[in-house]
Amino acid sequence: MVFYLHGIPRLIKLLQSDSEELERIAAGALRNVVFESSENKMEVKGVAPVMRLLRRSRNILTRRQLTGLLWNLSSHNLLKEHLSKEALEILTTSVLVPCSGLSEGENPKDGMLADPDTFYNATGCLRNISSAGPEGRKAMRQCENLIDSLVYYIRGTIADYKPDDKSTENCVCILHNLSYQVELPQKYASDLHESRLNLAPKTKTPGCFGSRSAKIIQRLEPKRPLLEKGSPSGVEWLWSAITVRMYLSIMERSICPYTQEAAIGALQNITVGNGLVSQAIAHTIVQRENGLLQAMKMLQEGGMVVKKTAVSLRCNISRYRELHAHIVKQVLPQLVVMLPNSDTSTDLPTEVTVSLCHILINLSQDETQHVRAIVNHGALPKIINISAEDNGFGPTRAGQAACILLHSMWSHSELHRAYRKAGYRKADFVNSRTSKAVH
């Protein structure tokens, strides 16, 4: 009835009233009238009056209603892009900075604006905006102090042993979305490249045992650059070593599924690339932070979505052979347990089975001892069963990955005798199906 009687434009006009109480009540009425009504949300043509009042109002109750209104509006897909252009700067300066404590001590007046409910509403709005698309995420990454405020708040709740604070979930989910397809600055990658060159073993002139000395040098493992701890700001927080540790702390302490999924999802996003920065992040997670143990907790205790993301993170990390020994030692038994007995198993999504097979493929590329460990943990019968699955047109995606894995495992000739002793033949590993999958 408010919509049909053209009440929404009239309520918006009241946001510029001389009466503070009238402004608050009008904001509350707008918040309620647009709730779960797409038609009413679209009737709010432009959010400029809302943002002007939020910028100037010092009344906590009014600010709660205004941010609640923005949160409701942001759930409409057609309004998310508009809000990313009109609302980010004011939400950050008027709500995120004072409520997160980022500016604590710098401006005493800001402390009077701090309110957990206002912050919760604002981060709920930003969580919706961050899910809209690449342009919205780009605008959020570029908004000064937005990411800084989110990270500062999360680190504070972790320090206070409140990882399941309701606003923390919003903040971590925003960072998860902002880390998706984030572009890393070339200068940062160049610094890591120079660091890797400085850490690489220097080739020396061969001595009396020239050829032997040269072979030994070639076998030396080059050291890998780790992320610098430094003092990040803005978008740099998305791949900072400090943020990596923060995500791992959340995974260890939080019991909220959405917060867990967002933290491990953010790590999965920033390790998915092939560049030096993604490589450095993977090494930082495993070697500096011992993060495989936290990820293992997600596999053991998390729901299916959390487990799926945890497996994807491990798949990213398994691309680096220097980390294979850590994976085999710490999490291989759990990965084998997760493998289904066949590709048609209903309790595990196909993409998870595919990722598990790809992890084992990566582990089996070089070291025979890693293949031996895979076999010793009882994976081989499961892998053979998965490889035999067919969708009527050929192997399923998981079946194809299992075929490639079997081919890779047979390439280790040192294990042929052990395979035969266990009752397996060459045809179990190398056959028309596995050869077709490989080629």
Side-chain angles (χ1 to χ4, degrees):
M1 288 305 296
V2 172
F3 174 81
Y4 288 121
L5 295 173
H6 308 292
I8 292 176
R10 299 182 186 188
L11 287 170
I12 291 174
K13 284 184 179 180
L14 293 178
L15 297 179
Q16 303 173 63
S17 169
D18 293 333
S19 166
E20 191 175 81
E21 183 179 10
L22 192 55
E23 288 176 336
R24 173 177 58 80
I25 295 172
L30 281 167
R31 178 185 182 179
N32 291 340
V33 84
V34 303
F35 181 67
E36 294 187 346
S37 171
S38 296
E39 194 175 42
N40 287 358
K41 287 172 185 174
M42 294 304 294
E43 184 71 3
V44 182
K45 296 179 172 65
V47 293
V50 180
M51 304 318 299
R52 282 196 294 268
L53 180 55
L54 182 59
R55 187 193 289 275
R56 66 179 171 82
S57 177
R58 314 290 291 182
N59 185 288
I60 295 297
L61 296 178
T62 301
R63 288 162 57 83
R64 284 181 188 172
Q65 298 292 7
L66 290 169
T67 50
L69 167 60
L70 290 169
W71 191 358
N72 286 345
L73 291 173
S74 69
S75 65
H76 196 299
N77 287 329
L78 295 178
L79 294 175
K80 289 178 182 178
E81 185 177 350
H82 177 69
L83 287 168
S84 71
K85 296 175 181 177
E86 301 291 331
L88 296 183
E89 188 269 331
I90 295 175
L91 275 175
T92 300
T93 57
S94 298
V95 181
L96 296 194
V97 171
C99 291
S100 67
L102 183 67
S103 62
E104 193 172 2
E106 296 178 12
N107 188 350
K109 291 184 179 180
D110 275 356
M112 299 171 62
L113 299 177
D115 173 59
D117 290 330
T118 303
F119 186 74
Y120 179 56
N121 293 341
T123 53
C125 173
L126 292 171
R127 179 175 176 178
N128 285 340
I129 296 173
S130 69
S131 68
E135 291 304 313
R137 289 192 291 271
K138 182 179 180 181
M140 293 181 71
R141 294 181 193 121
Q142 293 175 343
C143 184
E144 185 178 4
N145 285 329
L146 190 154
I147 295 176
D148 304 70
S149 298
L150 300 176
V151 173
Y152 190 88
Y153 183 85
I154 297 169
R155 294 178 71 193
T157 58
I158 292 173
D160 293 338
Y161 297 96
K162 297 177 180 178
D164 294 310
D165 165 86
K166 62 182 182 179
S167 292
T168 300
E169 178 188 316
N170 282 341
C171 293
V172 180
C173 287
I174 295 168
L175 294 179
H176 176 204
N177 290 338
L178 295 186
S179 67
Y180 178 67
Q181 294 182 342
V182 62
E183 293 184 15
L184 302 169
Q186 289 300 313
K187 183 182 182 304
Y188 195 84
S190 299
D191 292 343
L192 280 175
H193 178 65
E194 186 176 333
S195 170
R196 187 172 72 167
L197 290 177
N198 292 336
L199 288 168
K202 304 296 188 293
T203 304
K204 299 179 181 178
T205 303
C208 298
F209 303 97
S211 59
R212 178 181 171 87
S213 301
K215 286 181 181 177
I216 291 173
I217 290 173
Q218 288 171 3
R219 287 175 187 162
L220 286 175
E221 288 289 345
K223 294 182 179 178
R224 299 293 172 181
L226 299 174
L227 292 176
E228 296 294 331
K229 293 186 178 178
S231 300
S233 64
V235 71
E236 293 172 352
W237 281 109
L238 294 180
W239 60 81
S240 160
I242 298 171
T243 314
V244 168
R245 175 174 290 181
M246 179 185 80
Y247 290 141
L248 292 171
S249 296
I250 291 169
M251 288 160 55
E252 182 180 7
R253 300 176 185 180
S254 175
I255 59 172
C256 174
Y258 293 114
T259 307
Q260 291 176 343
E261 180 192 345
I264 199 164
L267 291 177
Q268 193 266 336
N269 282 343
I270 58 178
T271 55
V272 75
N274 294 315
L276 286 173
V277 178
S278 294
Q279 181 182 6
I281 292 169
H283 282 75
T284 299
I285 291 172
V286 175
Q287 294 177 327
R288 180 188 285 164
E289 303 297 343
N290 202 23
L292 286 176
L293 294 179
Q294 282 91 330
M296 184 168 70
K297 178 193 172 191
M298 298 296 96
L299 283 181
Q300 293 172 332
E301 302 174 8
M304 186 50 68
V305 176
V306 172
K307 287 181 178 180
K308 176 182 172 182
T309 311
V311 171
S312 295
L313 172 61
R314 278 187 174 76
C315 195
N316 292 345
I317 291 173
S318 71
R319 293 176 300 162
Y320 306 107
R321 63 186 302 272
E322 306 85 7
L323 304 178
H324 286 178
H326 297 275
I327 296 173
V328 170
K329 181 179 179 181
Q330 297 182 40
V331 298
L332 179 61
Q334 190 67 31
L335 296 177
V336 173
V337 168
M338 283 190 72
L339 267 180
N341 286 311
S342 71
D343 187 27
T344 56
S345 177
T346 57
D347 58 346
L348 200 66
T350 298
E351 56 265 38
V352 176
T353 304
V354 173
S355 293
L356 288 168
C357 288
H358 278 295
I359 294 172
L360 299 182
I361 289 170
N362 290 336
L363 294 178
S364 65
Q365 291 296 316
D366 297 304
E367 296 291 338
T368 299
Q369 61 185 0
H370 296 162
V371 181
R372 193 187 303 275
I374 293 170
V375 174
N376 288 342
H377 283 296
L380 198 46
K382 292 183 173 184
I383 297 167
I384 292 174
N385 286 342
I386 295 170
S387 74
E389 294 298 329
D390 197 286
N391 59 13
F393 302 97
T396 61
R397 284 175 55 229
Q400 190 170 14
C403 286
I404 296 171
L405 174 56
L406 287 170
H407 218 274
S408 178
M409 293 174 74
W410 184 259
S411 68
H412 295 268
S413 57
E414 304 95 317
L415 296 177
H416 289 180
R417 179 179 295 179
Y419 291 151
R420 293 190 180 98
K421 190 174 181 180
Y424 296 101
R425 301 167 299 140
K426 179 179 179 180
D428 292 320
F429 299 86
V430 180
N431 51 55
S432 59
R433 289 173 64 84
T434 61
S435 297
K436 184 178 180 181
V438 168
H439 297 297

